[in-house]
Amino acid sequence: METEEILEELENVEVELRSVQVIFNVTEQIKQLLDRQEQLQERKFDLKALLEACEASGSPVQHAGGSTATVENWSGSFEWDSRADDVRLNLFGIPAYRANQREIINAILSRRDVLVIMAAGGGKSLCYQLPAVLCDGIALVVSPLLSLIQDQVMCLAALGIPAHMLTSTTNKEDEKFIYKALEKGEGELKLLYVTPEKISKSKRFMSKLEKCHHAGRLSLISIDEAHCCSQWGHDFRPDYKSLGILKTQFPDVPMVALTATATQKVQNDLIEMLHIRKCIKFVSTINRPNLFYMVREKSSVGKLVIDEIAEYIQKSYPNKESGIVYCFSRKECEQVAKELRERGISADYYHADMDVNAREKVHMRWSKNKLQVIVGTVAFGMGINKPDVRFVIHHSLSKSVETYYQESGRAGRDGLPSECLLFFRPADLPRQSSMVFYEYSGLQNLYHIVRYCQSKKQCRRSYFFRHFAEPLQDCNGMCDICAFPCVVSEVDASRHAQNVISLLQDVQDNDQRTTMLQLVDKMKNKHKEIGSDLKRDEIEQLILQLIIDRVLSEEFQHTAYSTNAYVTIGPLAKQVLQGKKIIKLDISSRQMKTIDKKKSMKRSFTSSALEFELDELRKELSSIHGGILPHSVLSSQLIRLISAQKPNSMEELENIIGKLKTEKYGSRILEVISKCAKTEEQPDNAVLKEDQGSENTRASKRPKKQKDVVVVESSDDEV
Ligand SMILES: Nc1ncnc2c1ncn2[C@@H]1O[C@H](COP(=O)(O)OP(=O)(O)OP(=O)(O)O)[C@@H](O)[C@H]1O
Ligand SMILES: [Mg+2]
């Protein structure tokens, strides 16, 4: 062939390749849109259910009677009331029921099937353990993890309640005892714990169970961590799928399925799978009022992140209260544990690569408070029953809101104030996305938790309520957004977004791929050329925003050792280029200095200097008073009241914040009030700050008493 012909064919091939690529992209986009359509349908379903719940009750949550039309009164009086109270107090040592416990117990004892959705630490175990004790015969409990089972059997044994487990670790003698109890009713057995494999794989066990049922001795079946049944749940276990057989085989035995989190879809799914369509559903709030949620910007320098974590632990928990640090990988766990130790914190790691004994040893040391911090991967999961975990730190992003809610929920199961701190930086996204992209809705789930991290003005708690489709409840200042409000404005970043898309288009036109961080570099270089002042972290934030808004997409390629995540043009890019979709970025006051400065220059007053000073004071006082939370010194509401009323004597202050706080902090508060009053008398001293003055800014909701232009600068603790 002549060179010219070759060149011509080469050109034709390249043109066709490009058009094929376009079709590939379109196909990929159609797939993404179909996925999205399904998710939106699901969400619509959730929101409608939420709306109905709100309209029906006018009050939040705790509704019983999910799938039944007639709402029975499970709070009424029942013949077993006094016996149940006696067992609760005298055997379990529990002085009073918590929300929904009594109702659930009454429904079970009325021999109904029950679905229980109750937050971690809410007290689900008592709901089936107490009926198991009250009823004649044996209660079967299916639980997914050996460690959970061991823990429960140990606790029940300590109360003198005959509980046994049949698992891979059960010795022959115990097995014989259990089979005799099932078959012949010999020996004392009230609760029998098994893993789901026993149901799905052991014919021998099932035949003994049938004999037990036949003799009328199977009192109740309990499925703990029931979300494991559904593949839409966050912790699907294939063996849980076979549990449907239990209701088919033993239709007259009441079944109770319990879980801490289940979306509407998961609930429906597990009702179907367990064949408990007529169950009574008890849904308690997902709210954990004692948990303080916060997100911090994560430094790109690994050592600085550890410095910050170590400082946080040492300052907040000088009495070595227990905590967990979650990491992304096994290697990271080992590294973080080592570096925490080097900074004087007693920490050890826990991950799936360790042998069972080594893991158990670490777990035990921690449970007995001989080790302050466990640095774990997700493998350090469901089996954790320690009630006094005071903090859960996420060194890396979780893969979904559900996972984060579960993991962070391991804090404060005893109901006492505890903290959940998540470190986030955009570069953590591709690390996670290349792990979850093949899971159903894996990327969408990940983007939800990224939104949680990105949020600068939505209360963290309200994010959970929306996500789990539950009516909103007051946060009471128990998240960083509510406790430390800062000026947040929406910036129109559409022009920058268009630049990103064009840049990416050029890359793709040259048949190249780019990772998120490479794209950031390219944007940075381009901006240098055109003299823009966009900073690297702002570009990162923008690109992240474009990904989660589906203007850009992530694409994955496997190599022999890893999966790489690349950024490509997404389904909504065209709309941005055509100006039909506006890209808005939430910018906190600290960032306002650098993004679109000219546009944002607008003077306004947003928050009083006194509020700012009182915020600083509560941080100082909280560290002096043994690391209590700043809002425990003064809540944000109290700060606002003080700023509005400006008391100038101890008596006046006491009328606002009460005697105890006045005694403890009164003189310092009055000092700050008088100092600010003096500053205000000198108009030149007003702090001039920039602010977008957006109608949406949090700070604009504050009392605008002063005429001086003052803005609260977000402190290092914020975000
Ligand atoms: N009514 C109650 N009053 C006081 N403490 C209670 C009550 N009910 C349960 N508890 C305690 O609360 C703690 C958590 O209970 P439990 O382990 O049953 O929680 P759970 O709902 O199963 O949580 P998880 O989803 O994490 O498994 C336990 O220490 C338990 O003894
Ligand atoms: Mg439990």
Side-chain angles (χ1 to χ4, degrees):
M1 254 193 274
E2 292 294 315
T3 322
E4 253 180 42
E5 281 175 43
I6 298 173
L7 280 173
E8 195 185 327
E9 189 179 346
L10 182 63
E11 200 173 305
N12 286 340
V13 165
E14 281 178 350
V15 167
E16 200 177 336
L17 257 181
R18 273 200 289 274
S19 58
V20 168
Q21 188 59 46
V22 168
I23 295 169
F24 272 147
N25 288 344
V26 170
T27 318
E28 184 54 33
Q29 287 180 9
I30 289 173
K31 195 177 148 285
Q32 285 179 12
L33 287 171
L34 284 171
D35 277 358
R36 184 73 188 140
Q37 187 185 33
E38 189 175 339
Q39 283 150 8
L40 290 172
Q41 292 286 9
E42 230 175 83
R43 184 70 181 151
K44 189 171 122 187
F45 187 70
D46 277 356
L47 291 175
K48 278 192 164 172
L50 172 62
L51 210 61
E52 274 169 27
C54 288
E55 280 167 3
S57 65
S59 65
V61 290
Q62 287 183 28
H63 46 274
S67 50
T68 46
T70 52
V71 177
E72 280 131 301
N73 180 14
W74 301 110
S75 327
S77 50
F78 289 82
E79 53 173 289
W80 47 77
D81 279 351
S82 65
R83 276 195 304 139
D85 284 348
D86 179 48
V87 169
R88 168 180 52 75
L89 185 65
N90 297 320
L91 192 58
F92 285 95
I94 289 180
Y97 288 117
R98 285 190 186 150
N100 274 358
Q101 280 180 324
R102 180 165 181 267
E103 290 74 10
I104 294 165
I105 289 167
N106 285 337
I108 296 173
L109 289 173
S110 305
R111 303 192 64 76
R112 299 293 299 264
D113 295 330
V114 174
L115 173 61
V116 177
I117 319 281
M118 189 187 277
K124 289 184 282 298
S125 314
L126 186 77
C127 298
Y128 60 84
Q129 289 172 345
L130 194 146
V133 171
L134 278 189
C135 292
D136 288 336
I138 299 168
L140 176 75
V141 184
V142 182
S143 180
L145 287 183
L146 201 60
S147 59
L148 266 181
I149 293 178
Q150 285 167 335
D151 201 78
Q152 297 247 344
V153 170
M154 231 168 59
C155 289
L156 289 168
L159 299 174
I161 298 170
H164 285 264
M165 57 183 179
L166 192 59
T167 67
S168 53
T169 61
T170 309
N171 62 36
K172 283 273 163 264
E173 207 177 314
D174 283 352
E175 192 180 88
K176 221 163 125 189
F177 168 84
I178 291 165
Y179 282 156
K180 258 192 182 168
L182 286 174
E183 205 170 10
K184 301 188 176 130
E186 289 172 12
E188 269 205 280
L189 180 57
K190 272 275 146 224
L191 288 110
L192 176 61
Y193 283 81
V194 297
T195 48
E197 295 79 52
K198 273 283 162 218
I199 314 290
S200 63
K201 303 215 170 82
S202 172
K203 289 210 170 62
R204 186 164 171 229
F205 172 69
M206 282 307 282
S207 96
K208 305 274 178 196
L209 201 61
E210 256 162 41
K211 283 183 183 149
C212 176
H213 173 244
H214 192 70
R217 284 194 303 270
L218 185 58
S219 62
L220 142 78
I221 298 170
S222 166
I223 315 290
D224 207 1
E225 312 288 353
H227 58 275
C228 297
C229 287
S230 170
Q231 57 179 317
W232 315 123
H234 51 84
D235 216 340
F236 173 57
R237 307 272 157 132
D239 281 306
Y240 259 72
K241 263 173 106 171
S242 52
L243 297 184
I245 192 175
L246 290 170
K247 196 72 211 171
T248 319
Q249 298 280 90
F250 316 119
D252 55 336
V253 178
M255 176 178 275
V256 50
L258 311 102
T259 176
T261 41
T263 58
Q264 196 67 44
K265 185 167 180 172
V266 172
Q267 290 174 28
N268 295 344
D269 205 23
L270 63 92
I271 285 173
E272 283 298 313
M273 294 181 74
L274 294 173
H275 306 305
I276 47 170
R277 265 168 234 150
K278 290 192 177 154
C279 69
I280 314 291
K281 195 160 84 176
F282 291 90
V283 183
S284 308
T285 175
I286 54 117
N287 191 18
R288 304 281 309 278
N290 59 319
L291 298 189
F292 189 93
Y293 295 101
M294 49 192 155
V295 177
R296 277 195 199 176
E297 259 168 49
K298 181 176 173 181
S299 165
S300 56
V301 183
K303 296 237 177 283
L304 294 185
V305 183
I306 310 288
D307 282 345
E308 206 178 323
I309 292 178
E311 194 190 338
Y312 163 81
I313 294 175
Q314 278 159 338
K315 278 199 175 154
S316 310
Y317 300 99
N319 297 326
K320 311 256 180 283
E321 291 89 341
S322 294
I324 305 172
V325 176
Y326 277 108
C327 290
F328 177 71
S329 67
R330 296 159 195 190
K331 209 171 125 205
E332 200 170 69
C333 274
E334 295 183 13
Q335 186 66 23
V336 170
K338 178 170 159 271
E339 294 194 29
L340 286 177
R341 277 200 301 274
E342 284 166 7
R343 287 161 179 77
I345 291 171
S346 115
D348 214 335
Y349 59 87
Y350 182 109
H351 57 64
D353 254 1
M354 300 157 68
D355 74 59
V356 180
N357 289 339
R359 265 192 294 181
E360 198 39 40
K361 219 165 136 188
V362 174
H363 190 181
M364 267 342 251
R365 275 169 58 221
W366 180 72
S367 299
K368 290 179 180 166
N369 293 335
K370 289 183 177 157
L371 179 72
Q372 186 186 9
V373 177
I374 279 206
V375 186
T377 57
V378 286
F380 192 55
M382 268 192 301
I384 308 156
N385 263 348
K386 195 169 177 14
D388 58 348
V389 177
R390 290 281 74 87
F391 59 92
V392 173
I393 300 173
H394 277 74
H395 176 272
S396 301
L397 190 66
S398 297
K399 66 175 186 174
S400 66
V401 175
E402 281 80 3
T403 317
Y404 182 65
Y405 174 78
Q406 283 271 337
E407 288 168 354
S408 59
R410 297 198 170 110
R413 290 170 80 261
D414 56 7
L416 295 177
S418 308
E419 293 178 291
C420 309
L421 169 59
L422 194 162
F423 282 88
F424 175 69
R425 70 188 182 106
D428 279 353
L429 174 77
R431 283 212 305 174
Q432 268 290 10
S433 57
S434 54
M435 300 293 290
V436 302
F437 73 96
Y438 61 87
E439 291 175 17
Y440 171 80
S441 294
L443 287 180
Q444 285 309 321
N445 291 341
L446 177 61
Y447 297 163
H448 281 309
I449 184 70
V450 171
R451 276 203 185 91
Y452 170 89
C453 299
Q454 284 275 81
S455 174
K456 293 190 171 63
K457 59 186 178 196
Q458 186 186 356
C459 157
R460 309 269 177 219
R461 195 164 251 97
S462 75
Y463 193 92
F464 286 129
F465 290 133
R466 292 234 164 80
H467 186 84
F468 293 112
E470 186 177 301
L472 296 187
Q473 293 174 58
D474 201 343
C475 178
N476 290 321
M478 286 293 280
C479 80
D480 51 357
I481 303 275
C482 295
F484 313 115
C486 65
V487 181
V488 178
S489 300
E490 273 182 359
V491 171
D492 184 347
S494 304
R495 191 172 52 80
H496 295 306
Q498 288 165 354
N499 285 340
V500 173
I501 298 168
S502 310
L503 194 70
L504 195 54
Q505 192 62 61
D506 290 346
V507 172
Q508 288 183 206
D509 287 347
N510 286 322
D511 287 337
Q512 286 176 346
R513 286 164 179 268
T514 178
T515 64
M516 183 175 144
L517 293 183
Q518 286 164 347
L519 185 60
V520 173
D521 285 338
K522 286 186 208 296
M523 265 299 275
K524 186 83 195 106
N525 290 338
K526 188 170 172 184
H527 274 265
K528 226 184 257 164
E529 284 165 25
I530 58 173
S532 161
D533 57 355
L534 217 55
K535 287 223 167 70
R536 196 186 157 83
D537 59 342
E538 291 156 356
I539 299 174
E540 276 184 12
Q541 195 191 332
L542 172 65
I543 292 176
L544 186 81
Q545 182 77 37
L546 294 177
I547 293 173
I548 60 178
D549 282 351
R550 296 178 313 114
V551 173
L552 304 181
S553 295
E554 287 188 283
E555 198 175 78
F556 302 90
Q557 198 180 44
H558 305 282
T559 69
Y561 307 101
S562 61
T563 305
N564 296 329
Y566 297 100
V567 185
T568 62
I569 304 286
L572 301 183
K574 219 178 197 173
Q575 296 199 29
V576 175
L577 286 176
Q578 292 168 347
K580 289 182 189 159
K581 183 173 167 64
I582 306 296
I583 299 297
K584 287 179 182 158
L585 276 186
D586 279 344
I587 305 295
S588 66
S589 53
R590 201 170 352 140
Q591 291 166 302
M592 283 299 298
K593 288 180 200 153
T594 48
I595 262 204
D596 271 351
K597 201 173 183 176
K598 282 162 237 120
K599 268 198 233 162
S600 68
M601 281 296 273
K602 187 177 167 191
R603 285 156 143 242
S604 79
F605 47 89
T606 54
S607 171
S608 76
L610 181 52
E611 283 186 31
F612 173 71
E613 293 298 338
L614 288 172
D615 183 31
E616 288 297 300
L617 177 68
R618 72 173 169 177
K619 282 183 210 159
E620 185 200 321
L621 290 175
S622 67
S623 58
I624 296 170
H625 287 82
I628 55 168
L629 294 170
H631 69 265
S632 308
V633 175
L634 275 183
S635 69
S636 301
Q637 289 97 319
L638 285 183
I639 287 188
R640 274 174 215 170
L641 280 174
I642 296 169
S643 298
Q645 298 184 24
K646 297 195 180 62
N648 53 30
S649 70
M650 291 293 247
E651 291 70 35
E652 279 179 30
L653 183 62
E654 200 180 300
N655 287 335
I656 304 171
I657 66 168
K659 200 166 179 166
L660 190 76
K661 284 188 196 298
T662 308
E663 273 170 13
K664 273 183 164 173
Y665 319 118
S667 58
R668 291 294 309 276
I669 294 171
L670 291 178
E671 226 173 74
V672 167
I673 296 172
S674 102
K675 200 179 98 194
C676 275
K678 279 182 197 141
T679 315
E680 279 173 22
E681 281 160 18
Q682 304 162 9
D684 290 348
N685 284 353
V687 185
L688 182 64
K689 291 289 310 273
E690 66 203 40
D691 168 37
Q692 276 232 310
S694 154
E695 295 303 313
N696 298 334
T697 56
R698 299 172 56 78
S700 64
K701 291 183 195 146
R702 294 178 170 197
K704 296 179 179 178
K705 291 203 82 161
Q706 287 172 253
K707 280 288 166 207
D708 300 325
V709 181
V710 185
V711 162
V712 175
E713 173 78 76
S714 57
S715 74
D716 287 345
D717 285 343
E718 294 168 14
V719 184

